[in-house]
Amino acid sequence: APAEQRPQDLAGKHVVVSAGGTREPLDPVRYLGNRSSGRQGYALARTAQARGAHVTLVAANVSLPAPDGVEVVPVETTEQLRDAVRAAAKDADVVVMAAAVADFRPATSATSKIKKSGGDPLVLRLVQNPDILAELAAERLRPGQLVVGFAAETGDDGASVLEHGRAKALRKRADLLVVNAVGAGRGFGTADNDVTILDRDAQVVATASGSKDAVADRVWDVVLAHV
Ligand code: CTP
Ligand code: CA
């Protein structure tokens, strides 16, 4: 439905959404990155704006048009994403970390282009990035702020999608964790999603499936029940 017909149930709320995937420079022309399109984060931003929220969208390397009425802060690296999200979060009622954050970055970034040297292999040393979501959940940059994470999971021999999601919910201690089953044509880069929303104690509070817009609307419904 057009924006003006949507219930304005997020009016007066400032929400921060991170989207896309961070890139870590190896040298001036190369990076380590991931395949996140940013579409779920953009759907969250668009639907929140349509429901009356003031939206700050921290966008890491997303090539989608900025949603109408949404303040977009473009970033590249995890450090930039962290700084931008934390700055916006000081004044936010809700922070949703939908971005795919690089878990590791090169320990050093070369100031000039890395050259081949004979047939030698190139060994990269990677260091772990800070966990922005876990920090936000532990610190609460604004009192009463709701912190929401996303987790794309596949099942494996050791555990199901839900079991991986539950373990992550307990590790991160975000208020809500949106667990998305990926692989076999679901999740990454596809139109449809299949999500389970867990609370900080890893209890299932909602499920949703369908388009990224449908999932986004369901996430905001659950957020509204928790703020
Ligand atoms: N996240 C974050 N900072 C990181 C890594 C992840 O804020 N350094 C956030 C993501 O934006 C997402 C949530 O944490 O909201 C889950 O990301 P995910 O990659 O599934 O979790 P990890 O803890 O990195 O676990 P894994 O080893 O499965 O990748
Ligand atoms: Ca990760």
Side-chain angles (χ1 to χ4, degrees):
E4 59 275 14
Q5 292 172 15
R6 302 292 306 272
Q8 298 294 292
D9 49 4
L10 287 168
K13 302 275 189 244
H14 178 203
V15 308
V16 177
V17 177
S18 71
T22 59
R23 293 178 180 172
E24 305 295 352
L26 276 166
D27 71 16
V29 297
R30 303 185 179 101
Y31 59 83
L32 290 179
N34 64 69
R35 296 184 191 280
S36 175
S37 66
R39 288 199 294 160
Q40 183 65 72
Y42 272 51
L44 285 155
R46 207 166 39 238
T47 52
Q49 197 277 338
R51 289 167 67 159
H54 165 51
V55 182
T56 306
L57 177 58
V58 179
N61 310 296
V62 181
S63 57
L64 295 169
D68 283 343
V70 167
E71 180 194 344
V72 179
V73 182
V75 298
E76 289 184 25
T77 67
T78 299
E79 185 183 14
Q80 290 166 2
L81 182 101
R82 179 174 178 268
D83 289 349
V85 166
R86 291 176 66 88
K90 289 195 170 74
D91 171 52
D93 300 285
V94 185
V95 184
V96 182
M97 284 294 299
V101 180
D103 290 331
F104 297 94
R105 67 178 185 277
T108 58
S109 173
T111 53
S112 53
K113 192 179 165 193
I114 297 168
K115 290 295 196 181
K116 283 177 293 194
S117 127
D120 289 350
L122 175 66
V123 177
L124 296 175
R125 186 173 171 78
L126 306 179
V127 296
Q128 209 166 314
N129 273 324
D131 189 323
I132 301 166
L133 179 68
E135 286 177 355
L136 291 167
E139 291 176 46
R140 307 286 157 167
L141 292 173
R142 179 172 150 177
Q145 178 173 83
L146 200 81
V147 176
V148 183
F150 266 73
E153 301 287 352
T154 62
D156 54 36
D157 292 345
S160 67
V161 167
L162 193 55
E163 285 164 344
H164 281 298
R166 282 188 200 281
K168 194 163 285 177
L170 295 173
R171 220 169 38 237
K172 303 264 188 183
R173 303 305 278 175
D175 298 294
L176 298 168
L177 186 72
V178 183
V179 181
N180 196 5
V182 293
R186 299 195 293 186
F188 263 119
T190 66
D192 280 344
N193 286 264
D194 201 349
V195 307
T196 302
I197 305 178
L198 305 178
D199 67 14
R200 57 188 292 128
D201 300 315
Q203 297 302 304
V204 175
V205 292
T207 59
S209 55
S211 68
K212 291 189 176 181
D213 278 6
V215 166
D217 265 321
R218 190 84 185 104
V219 169
W220 294 123
D221 292 343
V222 175
V223 162
L224 273 168
H226 284 77
V227 284

